[in-house]
Amino acid sequence: MIVKIQKSFAQQVGTLYLVPTPIGNLEDMTFRAIKTLQTVDLIASEDTRNTQKLLNHFEVKVPQKSLHEHNYNERIPELLDFLESGKSIAQVSDAGMPSISDPGHELVVACIEREIPVVSLPGATAGMTALIASGLLPQPFFFYGFLQRKRSVQKKELDELKGQQATLIFYESPHRIKETLKNITEVFGNREVVICRELTKLYEEYLRGTTEELIEYLSDHSLKGECCLLVSGATETAEEEIFTGTLKEQVEELISGGTSSKEAIKSVAKRHGLKKQDVYKEYHEL
C-alpha cells in the first residue's frame, strides 16, 4: 500500500473546501468561511435556494451548482473536471457540516482518489454543540445521526447500540421523537436523555430527564424544529460468558438440550471464533 500525503496548502491547485454553514444563528458563520465562499470559483450546494439566502446575507456573488443525494452520480464527474482545471469549489449543506447526515462524502472520496486537495473548515455542527451543554458525559461519545424510520429496523439498530458506554447522539424529527423514545426505553431501559431543539435559534430549548419522563411530557406537549437526541451510555458491561469442557463436550451439551448437531457445531464455532469445519473435525474426532 502506498501512503497518500496531502499538503493542503503547499501549492496553488484546484481545491475542494468543505465549508460549514450556520445551524440556526447566522452570526455563527466564521470569517474564514465567508472569505472562502467569496474567493472560490464555484459553490456546490445541497439546495441552491437555501444557500442563496445565506450568500445574499453575506454579499457573496459566486455561482452555485446543486449537489445532493439525487444527482451526485452525474454531478461529481463535472465537479472533478472543474477542480482539475485548477479552479476551487466550496461545498456546503443546508446547515452545519457537509457529510454529517448531509450530502458530501461521495465528492470527498472522489477527490481523494484523484489526489485533489480536500480542506475542511471548522464550524457549526449540531451534535457537538448540543453534547457539551447536555449535562451528559461528553467523552466518550458515539455519533449515530438519524435512525431508520421503520420500527422493527430501528429497534434492531438500537439493540446493536445498547451496550455502548459512550453518550449516544442521534438526530430526529419532532413528529417521530416520541416513538423513538418509546423504542429506546423498550431496548435500553429507562435511561437519562436530553432533547435539544431549535439549536442556536431564539427558541432554543433543552429537555432533560429520563426516557419515561420525556415520553410523558411529550404526551401533552408537541415539539417544533429538528431535534438532537442525546442518550446516556450503558452503565453495566455484560459479563463475558465462560465455557468449560472441550469443543466436543460443548457440542454434546448443546445436543443434549435439544439442539441439532449441525446447529450445535455452528454455535460452538461462533462462541470461540473458529471455523465450523474445525469444530466438526473435533466433534467427530477426525
Side-chain angles (χ1 to χ4, degrees):
M1 177 180 177
I2 300 175
V3 175
K4 294 182 178 180
I5 301 174
Q6 173 185 305
K7 300 288 187 181
S8 298
F9 308 108
Q11 52 187 338
Q12 295 298 317
V13 295
T15 300
L16 174 65
Y17 293 95
L18 307 177
V19 181
T21 55
I23 54 178
N25 193 322
L26 289 177
E27 292 183 2
D28 290 333
M29 195 73 171
T30 68
F31 291 118
R32 185 183 176 199
I34 296 169
K35 183 178 179 181
T36 300
L37 292 179
Q38 290 172 335
T39 55
V40 293
D41 300 290
L42 182 68
I43 298 171
S45 308
E46 179 183 0
D47 187 321
T48 56
R49 295 166 298 180
N50 286 338
T51 301
Q52 192 60 54
K53 298 173 186 177
L54 180 73
L55 301 183
N56 291 342
H57 182 83
F58 291 108
E59 299 181 351
V60 176
K61 307 298 184 183
V62 176
Q64 299 184 72
K65 278 191 180 294
S66 64
L67 177 66
H68 47 71
E69 61 181 339
H70 302 297
N71 75 348
Y72 69 85
N73 282 324
E74 58 266 26
R75 184 71 82 198
I76 285 177
E78 179 185 343
L79 297 177
L80 291 175
D81 290 342
F82 190 85
L83 288 161
E84 289 184 329
S85 72
K87 297 179 180 179
S88 293
I89 295 174
Q91 182 181 7
V92 300
S93 63
D94 285 349
M97 286 281 187
S99 297
I100 303 298
S101 293
D102 281 321
H105 178 66
E106 293 83 6
L107 179 58
V108 170
V109 171
C111 285
I112 292 171
E113 289 177 350
R114 299 275 276 268
E115 298 189 359
I116 296 169
V118 179
V119 175
S120 177
L121 275 61
T125 179
M128 297 300 95
T129 305
L131 173 66
I132 60 174
S134 68
L136 300 179
L137 287 175
Q139 296 178 64
F141 65 85
F142 187 102
F143 175 81
Y144 196 87
F146 285 97
L147 289 160
Q148 294 294 318
R149 298 184 183 187
K150 189 175 180 180
R151 184 172 185 270
S152 60
V153 181
Q154 185 180 105
K155 288 183 68 175
K156 184 177 180 180
E157 289 179 293
L158 291 170
D159 190 61
E160 293 174 352
L161 294 169
K162 69 179 180 182
Q164 271 285 346
Q165 293 180 283
T167 297
L168 301 169
I169 304 174
F170 302 103
Y171 291 161
E172 191 55 279
S173 68
H175 64 273
R176 290 198 303 268
I177 198 160
K178 183 179 177 181
E179 292 305 313
T180 296
L181 284 171
K182 289 181 179 178
N183 290 338
I184 288 173
T185 305
E186 191 173 329
V187 177
F188 290 179
N190 193 27
R191 296 259 189 107
E192 290 291 325
V193 295
V194 177
I195 298 173
C196 177
R197 69 175 194 88
E198 296 288 84
L199 198 59
T200 77
K201 299 177 183 177
L202 180 62
Y203 296 104
E204 175 179 298
E205 183 176 58
Y206 284 83
L207 304 173
R208 299 180 176 94
T210 65
T211 50
E212 292 179 356
E213 289 168 343
L214 286 176
I215 289 169
E216 183 177 352
Y217 175 85
L218 293 175
S219 296
D220 300 319
H221 301 81
S222 61
L223 300 183
K224 293 182 179 180
E226 291 299 313
C227 299
C228 191
L229 172 62
L230 301 104
V231 183
S232 60
T235 55
E236 297 180 0
T237 56
E239 293 185 8
E240 186 176 351
E241 193 172 359
I242 299 174
F243 302 103
T244 58
T246 65
L247 296 177
K248 178 180 173 65
E249 289 169 344
Q250 291 178 45
V251 173
E252 290 174 340
E253 183 180 356
L254 290 173
I255 292 173
S256 67
T259 305
S260 68
S261 60
K262 181 179 179 181
E263 286 301 316
I265 290 170
K266 182 180 178 181
S267 179
V268 171
K270 184 177 180 180
R271 69 170 60 157
H272 294 287
L274 299 172
K275 293 181 179 179
K276 288 184 291 184
Q277 297 92 320
D278 294 336
V279 178
Y280 179 89
K281 291 177 181 178
E282 185 79 15
Y283 174 65
H284 290 286
E285 299 181 349
L286 300 175

